[in-house]
Amino acid sequence: MTRLALLGGIYSNYRALETALRQIEQRGADGIYCLGDLGAFGPYPDRVYPLLRSRGVECIQGNYDNSLAGGLADCQCGYTDPRDNYFARLSYAYTFENTSVENKAWLASLPMTRRLEVEGWRILLCHGSPRKLNEFLWESTSSDAFLEYLLRLADADIVAVTHTGIKWHRRLSAGRQFINVGVLGRPENNGLTHVVYAELSLERDAAKVEFVPVEYDFRALAADMAEEKLPPEFIETILTGWWTTCLEILPHKERAHGRF
Amino acid sequence: MKFPFAELVHLDNLWFQVTGTLCNLSCTHCFNRSGPQARSFGFLTLAQVQEELETAVRAGVKEIFFTGGEPFLHPQLPEMLELSLAVAPTTVLTNGMLISNRLADRMAEMERKARYSLEIRVSLDGWTEASNDALRGRGVFKQVLAAIERLCQRGLLPLVTVVRTWDEGEDQAALEGFGSVLKAAGYARPRIKLLPALPLGRELERSPQAGAESSLLSEEMLEGFDRDLLMCSNSRLVTDRGVWVCPLLVEIPAARLGARLQDAAPTYELKHPACMSCYHYGTICGNVSALIEGPAELKRP
């Protein structure tokens, strides 16, 4: 059996990343992958890079990484609401300013996708969707028919994505699977403070997905964020598990599950 | 003049103009001139909807939309929504006038049972009774707010769709105005989708300068432009008179692409002023807010 740890957006949450990497070491893994968006939202963006490099985490670019690497003025998050964009810009300006030139160059060196072939399974890792860096694939707005199309387009048996911030997993025809691995960066709008990553266990005739909760020191992260004068709205999300910003992009079901 | 062509890259969104242009209101800015006497398009049958849904599912459709006219004038709309929700996330665009307690119960039940999202888009075009009813008709403001309250009481969060009939600089004040009137009507966390007014249909008579100021797309303008923002690259509209390239261009005969989805032409020439709305604002007909600030210019900070 081969076991892969799939990490979603880290959003500068180095404390959650540290805890997740310790858990992965205890559980054992044959490979650790991160699907992009290393910076954003959280404090001290440069702190995630040494952790990722020292543990050999294989990363791909997310929209945030692509923007930081290319010196773009916008995070390409894909928001359209003025309030959402206000917070996105604030967060991007902070992250841009506090990410070193070396780390930006390292981001630029990362591939946009990764293809793996494990135990006979053809796997595509990407950030938003196989066809677009910043496409939002929410559970409640991704029809089976559409996911089957994306799997055909990707020429893969398993596709793993992140970008939305909320995990899900769908089994499709002929044993194929689609996974949104969730994110390590912030809790997933359910009133709980932990974050998650996905563990993919592969055998020749079976592929199993488990979402692993990561209980980290979220109060210390909130203190870091306050120290860096990040918006109180962001800190509230870390402390309560409810999203307070970037809400207008949510489809009905995901929005109705949250508090705001 | 040579116009650019857009190709259907993938059918992400399938639209049904389920009641044609028949509507119980006749708003002064309606882009397809819907109204009680508007018979240029008629009703779709349940069988037609089912057949085109099946074609769309085979093509890998992502989302389904029901529009009109007023979709709830169709007696079988709830059955159609159930059929659609069984295979894909589904949105209905309504003026809200027919949402009774019984209908709200049924929609809430439908939403609870479905694994996909059901979006109910309710139109409201002014945050005061006077400004809304001047556009949408006398008494509409109060009735629509009551309908929104009925939906909210059942845990549904309608997407309140607002057409901008003021200057862009007043967007913030308008959003605040809508926010407070919706909260007062019992919608604690209002979802608002702002749309530009379209230089089409009755809006051209209400606001003649909208047509005069409109321009056309050229091949050069689309160089480096993200064509995913053009609705015609990812959507089609089914009507009782055939398949149209998008919901906006139903009054344009050349925008009819075929009788049925499976034999509709895959390309369309972007030669109408309304094509500029996707260019300026992105796919405005989708559920997320249009890019009301215009496309972000990417510059080095």
Side-chain angles (χ1 to χ4, degrees):
Chain A
M1 190 183 71
T2 304
R3 197 185 284 169
L4 308 179
L6 305 178
L7 318 181
I10 299 169
Y11 305 168
S12 306
N13 190 341
Y14 70 97
R15 292 183 183 273
L17 177 62
E18 265 175 342
T19 309
L21 290 171
R22 262 201 310 278
Q23 279 179 229
I24 291 165
E25 194 173 306
Q26 283 158 9
R27 293 171 71 100
D30 301 292
I32 314 176
Y33 297 89
C34 174
L35 308 191
D37 278 3
L38 313 187
F41 193 79
Y44 309 117
D46 274 341
R47 293 189 185 178
V48 301
Y49 297 90
L51 293 169
L52 291 168
R53 286 190 206 115
S54 68
R55 299 299 306 276
V57 179
E58 308 256 24
C59 300
I60 60 173
Q61 285 186 35
N63 52 285
Y64 231 90
D65 313 312
N66 187 259
S67 289
L68 290 171
L72 304 188
D74 177 276
C75 65
Q76 308 176 77
C77 290
Y79 304 133
T80 56
D81 177 75
R83 183 174 181 273
D84 288 354
N85 271 327
Y86 167 80
F87 283 105
R89 282 183 193 135
L90 219 146
S91 168
Y92 184 65
Y94 168 83
T95 308
F96 192 92
E97 203 169 303
N98 291 283
T99 301
S100 71
V101 174
E102 294 74 30
N103 285 331
K104 282 177 188 153
W106 186 72
L107 288 175
S109 75
L110 297 177
M112 305 304 291
T113 60
R114 274 181 198 275
R115 279 189 182 276
L116 311 172
E117 191 139 358
V118 183
E119 309 267 0
W121 295 87
R122 296 166 310 149
I123 304 168
L124 179 75
L125 308 179
C126 50
H127 182 75
S129 85
R131 64 179 187 177
K132 203 170 172 80
L133 179 63
N134 64 354
E135 180 166 20
F136 290 98
L137 295 181
W138 304 100
E139 182 167 26
S140 86
T141 50
S142 299
S143 70
D144 287 354
F146 178 62
L147 296 177
E148 297 273 10
Y149 159 74
L150 290 181
L151 281 159
R152 285 196 301 274
L153 191 73
D155 197 20
D157 306 308
I158 299 174
V159 170
V161 301
T162 177
H163 189 56
T164 64
I166 304 181
K167 66 176 189 300
W168 54 268
H169 171 221
R170 191 93 49 89
R171 288 178 189 279
L172 294 147
S173 64
R176 294 183 302 174
Q177 307 194 27
F178 215 104
I179 314 161
N180 188 317
V181 304
V183 293
L184 285 178
R186 63 172 179 174
E188 52 180 359
N189 200 23
N190 56 5
L192 301 169
T193 52
H194 69 257
V195 293
V196 293
Y197 70 90
E199 191 182 80
L200 179 59
S201 304
L202 299 155
E203 290 175 271
R204 278 216 85 76
D205 52 357
K208 202 179 110 228
V209 176
E210 184 183 340
F211 291 109
V212 184
V214 177
E215 302 276 0
Y216 71 104
D217 191 347
F218 64 92
R219 288 188 190 85
L221 186 83
D224 290 340
M225 290 167 80
E227 202 172 88
E228 285 297 277
K229 299 190 173 49
L230 289 167
E233 288 86 351
F234 290 4
I235 297 171
E236 188 183 338
T237 296
I238 292 298
L239 290 174
T240 63
W242 297 113
W243 291 5
T244 55
T245 61
C246 310
L247 290 162
E248 302 311 324
I249 204 78
L250 290 173
H252 186 272
K253 268 196 197 292
E254 283 80 357
R255 183 78 184 257
H257 285 157
R259 174 178 288 175
F260 298 107
Chain B
M1 185 168 171
K2 202 167 161 281
F3 297 104
F5 278 85
E7 189 185 350
L8 181 70
V9 178
H10 177 253
L11 183 69
D12 283 9
N13 309 300
L14 178 65
W15 287 68
F16 289 107
Q17 198 192 39
V18 71
T19 49
T21 40
L22 191 74
C23 189
N24 48 347
L25 299 180
S26 29
C27 304
T28 61
H29 60 335
C30 183
F31 74 94
N32 67 9
R33 295 179 213 267
S34 288
Q37 311 302 329
R39 305 281 173 166
S40 50
F41 288 85
F43 281 27
L44 290 170
T45 65
L46 186 60
Q48 281 173 310
V49 168
Q50 185 157 17
E51 187 191 322
E52 294 294 44
L53 266 178
E54 283 165 10
T55 304
V57 165
R58 282 196 298 274
V61 73
K62 188 179 181 198
E63 296 198 47
I64 310 293
F65 295 77
F66 288 84
T67 187
E70 168 49 43
F72 284 106
L73 287 171
H74 200 302
Q76 287 172 302
L77 185 75
E79 285 93 320
M80 291 172 176
L81 292 176
E82 279 164 358
L83 268 182
S84 174
L85 269 176
V87 294
T90 300
T91 297
V92 57
L93 285 71
T94 173
N95 60 32
M97 298 294 283
L98 298 172
I99 299 179
S100 59
N101 279 320
R102 228 180 81 198
L103 186 57
D105 282 342
R106 182 148 186 200
M107 303 283 280
E109 178 67 11
M110 209 184 282
E111 199 281 334
R112 256 193 307 277
K113 284 185 181 160
R115 62 189 174 109
Y116 299 122
S117 270
L118 169 64
E119 293 283 5
I120 305 170
R121 264 162 63 176
V122 182
S123 290
L124 190 70
D125 290 326
W127 68 94
T128 62
E129 186 170 353
S131 61
N132 181 74
D133 290 1
L135 293 161
R136 305 193 62 80
R138 189 180 295 174
V140 171
F141 186 75
K142 282 190 178 136
Q143 279 205 60
V144 169
L145 286 179
I148 289 171
E149 190 173 7
R150 276 180 213 118
L151 295 171
C152 293
Q153 283 166 347
R154 289 160 177 82
L156 297 169
L157 305 173
L159 202 48
V160 177
T161 305
V162 173
V163 174
R164 179 202 277 140
T165 50
W166 52 83
D167 288 337
E168 284 186 33
E170 292 162 36
D171 280 350
Q172 199 49 44
L175 287 172
E176 282 165 20
F178 281 103
S180 58
V181 79
L182 288 166
K183 281 180 188 163
Y187 196 174
R189 40 175 172 159
R191 299 167 75 211
I192 302 170
K193 174 181 165 60
L194 187 54
L195 282 166
L198 298 163
L200 286 166
R202 278 198 288 272
E203 174 66 5
L204 287 176
E205 287 127 49
R206 188 189 75 89
S207 172
Q209 77 277 11
E213 285 168 7
S214 59
S215 53
L216 294 166
L217 272 177
S218 67
E219 197 65 67
E220 295 73 52
M221 289 161 81
L222 288 182
E223 263 171 45
F225 180 79
D226 179 2
R227 286 184 183 233
D228 292 352
L229 295 173
L230 301 174
M231 194 168 173
C232 43
S233 71
N234 55 44
S235 309
R236 288 295 181 258
L237 172 79
V238 172
T239 77
D240 74 320
R241 290 173 43 206
V243 174
W244 253 256
V245 67
C246 83
L248 299 187
L249 299 185
V250 284
E251 291 190 344
I252 315 294
R256 182 184 184 274
L257 302 179
R260 294 190 308 166
L261 212 46
Q262 63 184 33
D263 49 43
T267 55
Y268 179 69
E269 197 177 8
L270 303 171
K271 59 184 176 189
H272 194 274
C275 300
M276 290 297 287
S277 44
C278 277
Y279 180 74
H280 281 311
Y281 303 104
T283 311
I284 56 170
C285 299
N287 284 338
V288 293
S289 205
L291 297 169
I292 56 172
E293 294 163 299
E297 225 189 335
L298 299 180
K299 285 189 210 129
R300 280 170 196 282

